[in-house]
């Protein structure tokens, strides 16, 4: 209401029906999580609604491996686990 966005405008921006918007407003589990996130993004409140992801979960660590080493691959072939 503060942003003066009508339900029809929000539905149009989200590419959903008004029935889906009403289900979202009621908290219906049938409304997908993506629809909720899209609404928060469109309304400009996603930063207030979701916590900041810890840096350790998204930053590149110099010690992380994307690909298994030859030794690790040989261990998998022999059903050995490290």
């Amino acid at each position: 209401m503060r942003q003066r966005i009508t339900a029809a405008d929000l539905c149009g921006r989200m590419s959903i029906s008004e029935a889906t918007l009403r289900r979202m407003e009621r908290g219906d589990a049938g409304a997908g999580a993506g629809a909720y996130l899209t609404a928060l993004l469109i309304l400009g409140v996603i930063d207030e609604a979701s916590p900041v992801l810890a840096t350790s979960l998204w930053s590149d660590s110099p010690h992380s491996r994307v690909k298994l080493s030859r030794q690790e691959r040989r261990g998998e072939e022999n059903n050995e686990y490290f």
Side-chain angles (χ1 to χ4, degrees):
M1 289 170 54
R2 273 183 268 165
Q3 296 178 6
R4 299 182 187 265
I5 297 174
T6 65
D9 287 341
L10 183 59
C11 291
R13 290 182 191 184
M14 294 178 60
S15 300
I16 62 171
S17 67
E18 288 194 38
T20 301
L21 181 61
R22 286 191 297 275
R23 286 191 359 240
M24 289 173 57
E25 291 173 337
R26 287 191 313 261
D28 187 332
Y36 287 104
L37 293 173
T38 302
L40 294 171
L41 185 64
I42 289 171
L43 295 172
V45 295
I46 196 158
D47 291 334
E48 290 89 29
S50 63
V52 176
L53 188 62
T55 307
S56 63
L57 297 174
W58 60 265
S59 67
D60 291 331
S61 173
H63 303 292
S64 66
R65 294 191 58 90
V66 174
K67 187 175 176 183
L68 293 176
S69 69
R70 287 184 186 142
Q71 182 182 6
E72 291 168 327
R73 286 193 304 264
R74 280 194 299 268
E76 279 188 354
E77 290 171 4
N78 298 326
N79 293 326
E80 296 176 11
Y81 297 97
F82 295 91

